[in-house]
Amino acid sequence: MPLQCFNWITELLGPLVHNLRHTNEGPEGIFTRLPDCLIIDVLSRLPADCLLRCQRDCRVWKALISSRYFSTLHLRRARPVLIIEWDRCFTSHEQDLFIFDGSLNKDKMFTRVLLKRELMINKVNKHRPHLRYSCEGVLLFMVLCSRPTYFIFNPITQEGVTIRHKFDPGYLCAFYYCSLTSEFKLLYARKEGSRCQYSIYTVRTQTWRKIHSPTSNCLPYVSPAIVNGAVHLLVGKDLEKPDTPPCANGIMVLKMDKEELSAMPHPGSVCSSWRTHQTMSLLVKDESLCLCQLFVAENEMDIWILEDYETWVWTKRCKVNLGFNNQGIRLSKPFVDRSYWEVVLYMCWQIQPLHFQDGELVFYWFSRGLFMCNLDHNTLRNIEGPQGSMVYTCKPYKKSLLTIA
């Protein structure tokens, strides 16, 4: 029913805007009679690309839509989907981006994202930018070279920012949006012997701030999940005790308001090896932190939900069976003679849990495509990628009007 109402509003206001453009009174004359709160409530339920047309049609709407309050409200109501970068040619500098919505029929699941030719992301000479992060409707692309270049881009507004650091800040751990200051930020970790120095870069002001961590011996790896006003990262290794799995400090937490780091244990039993942490990934489900752990030998994936954030109480939600159609996880000949951990880490790279959409877990299986798992019935369905491709990069995505700089 909510989806039907949303479609009804979109279909109603679309022709209405078109008709008002051809009347003498115009949209401003009619809609200025309505309370701003009512207009905001209606407009905030429209798709972001439709709001761009509304901004062009009415100065009152433009003022309301451009406000920070409206952008935040619209983002909160936006429906999560996927953004896909099709790796059709590693030597091509053109960005092939698609939006995937599993709730639509087969012919409309994928829609292409159009990029303006004048964007800096299209003017890279030697290396093709690759999609690295997606945060609140804004994408971060990275050019892999000795001194990485980052392109931060909003596909809806077509606003783009290029970042080239004058020094090497370490490796990028997370890209996040701080709603308190309405700023996009980057979290870096720089390894210095058996310790890590963490720094935050603010995109709008182009400023740095070093932050202290009581667990600076913990080295995170890329698997950020943002919920409850904090960035959550899985810890890959304890630099002071490299052979001991850091289960007690398995999840690093960055509080956005205080910009302080802390660490909490991951759910489940103590791991036999630090490599086990690389079989885990963090997601967000219904505004709760979620952990997925892949078990290669069993063709299974455990899903844990953080039921109580304050007391850090986890519950195992379900076990996903990956042995669909009697196929399961099969290895090609070059990997048959490899060690156990080489096989495990290879498969963890291949199978990537992405996000939850309409109660289903969406994950990408390299060279096999997208899969949607119904958690209630433990059933899987395979979805062919854009242009029939099976090799691409996927990130959770929401259409938004947030400004970057």
Side-chain angles (χ1 to χ4, degrees):
M1 185 63 184
L3 182 60
Q4 292 177 346
C5 292
F6 178 80
N7 292 335
W8 175 80
I9 293 173
T10 305
E11 293 174 1
L12 174 64
L13 284 188
L16 181 60
V17 170
H18 176 77
N19 293 333
L20 288 174
R21 294 173 67 177
H22 298 86
T23 64
N24 294 328
E25 191 169 8
E28 294 183 28
I30 293 179
F31 280 92
T32 49
R33 302 173 188 169
L34 300 176
D36 286 351
C37 59
L38 179 59
I39 299 175
I40 289 175
D41 186 64
V42 173
L43 292 178
S44 64
R45 301 174 190 276
L46 297 178
D49 43 7
C50 180
L51 291 174
L52 292 180
R53 297 194 298 270
C54 293
Q55 284 183 309
R56 294 193 296 265
D57 293 326
C58 177
R59 286 177 296 178
V60 175
W61 290 356
K62 182 177 181 180
L64 293 176
I65 294 171
S66 301
S67 68
R68 180 187 303 179
Y69 169 77
F70 181 88
S71 298
T72 304
L73 176 62
H74 180 265
L75 181 64
R76 188 164 66 244
R77 290 176 170 175
R79 188 172 177 277
V81 289
L82 283 181
I83 191 88
I84 294 177
E85 180 187 35
W86 178 26
D87 300 328
R88 64 184 176 91
C89 179
F90 290 100
T91 60
S92 172
H93 297 295
E94 296 182 4
Q95 300 302 127
D96 283 316
L97 297 176
F98 297 85
I99 292 176
F100 166 75
D101 189 342
S103 66
L104 303 178
N105 59 50
K106 185 176 180 181
D107 297 332
K108 297 182 179 180
M109 280 188 177
F110 296 94
T111 55
R112 184 183 290 273
V113 178
L114 301 178
L115 306 183
K116 293 181 179 179
R117 291 184 176 273
E118 60 267 25
L119 292 171
M120 287 299 297
I121 195 173
N122 297 325
K123 299 180 180 180
V124 182
N125 295 323
K126 296 181 179 179
H127 304 278
R128 179 174 180 263
H130 290 278
L131 179 60
R132 184 74 178 271
Y133 291 102
S134 172
C135 175
E136 305 291 34
V138 174
L139 310 178
L140 184 145
F141 294 83
M142 180 177 179
V143 177
L144 300 176
C145 55
S146 58
R147 191 63 58 83
T149 299
Y150 303 101
F151 297 98
I152 302 178
F153 170 69
N154 186 325
I156 298 299
T157 64
Q158 298 284 299
E159 179 191 10
V161 171
T162 302
I163 298 177
R164 297 185 181 93
H165 298 313
K166 296 180 179 179
F167 62 95
D168 183 9
Y171 76 91
L172 181 58
C173 300
F175 171 54
Y176 66 96
Y177 178 74
C178 180
S179 59
L180 297 175
T181 60
S182 301
E183 293 175 317
F184 285 94
K185 300 185 179 185
L186 309 178
L187 174 66
Y188 288 89
R190 184 181 180 88
K191 184 179 176 182
E192 299 176 351
S194 60
R195 313 292 288 179
C196 268
Q197 174 60 61
Y198 297 95
S199 303
I200 292 177
Y201 178 81
T202 302
V203 175
R204 177 172 296 168
T205 59
Q206 301 180 28
T207 55
W208 290 91
R209 178 176 179 263
K210 290 184 178 180
I211 59 175
H212 172 71
S213 171
T215 56
S216 57
N217 56 303
C218 294
L219 184 66
Y221 66 91
V222 180
S223 181
I226 303 172
V227 67
N228 202 36
V231 180
H232 304 81
L233 295 155
L234 285 168
V235 173
K237 207 170 189 179
D238 186 330
L239 297 177
E240 293 182 344
K241 301 176 182 178
D243 296 328
T244 303
C247 299
N249 299 317
I251 299 177
M252 188 173 291
V253 182
L254 170 65
K255 288 291 186 181
M256 294 185 192
D257 53 353
K258 299 180 180 179
E259 293 192 339
E260 295 178 352
L261 282 167
S262 60
M264 301 295 288
H266 66 68
S269 57
V270 176
C271 303
S272 59
S273 168
W274 60 269
R275 297 181 182 86
T276 305
H277 287 212
Q278 298 185 43
T279 67
M280 305 176 184
S281 56
L282 294 175
L283 301 178
V284 177
K285 183 181 186 299
D286 300 329
E287 299 185 0
S288 297
L289 190 63
C290 170
L291 183 141
C292 302
Q293 182 172 7
L294 178 65
F295 295 90
V296 174
E298 293 83 2
N299 281 336
E300 293 177 340
M301 181 188 297
D302 281 354
I303 298 179
W304 295 77
I305 301 292
L306 183 58
E307 298 289 353
D308 192 319
Y309 195 90
E310 296 299 325
T311 58
W312 205 254
V313 176
W314 292 81
T315 301
K316 186 183 289 187
R317 169 70 170 80
C318 65
K319 187 182 291 290
V320 177
N321 180 16
L322 300 178
F324 57 95
N325 296 333
N326 297 321
Q327 293 183 14
I329 299 175
R330 293 182 178 180
L331 300 176
S332 57
K333 289 184 179 180
F335 290 90
V336 173
D337 298 327
R338 298 295 179 93
S339 69
Y340 169 77
W341 281 114
E342 286 179 315
V343 173
V344 169
L345 297 181
Y346 171 74
M347 291 309 304
C348 291
W349 168 77
Q350 282 210 328
I351 301 176
Q352 304 169 15
L354 298 172
H355 80 141
F356 292 89
Q357 189 175 103
D358 299 328
E360 294 185 300
L361 171 64
V362 184
F363 64 92
Y364 171 62
W365 195 324
F366 183 79
S367 76
R368 290 196 182 184
L370 284 172
F371 289 85
M372 300 189 71
C373 174
N374 188 301
L375 301 183
D376 293 327
H377 302 94
N378 201 6
T379 57
L380 285 173
R381 58 188 178 107
N382 183 213
I383 298 170
E384 188 180 73
Q387 310 295 325
S389 171
M390 293 296 183
V391 180
Y392 39 83
T393 302
C394 311
K395 301 293 179 182
Y397 175 71
K398 287 184 178 181
K399 292 183 179 181
S400 81
L401 300 170
L402 291 180
T403 57
I404 303 170

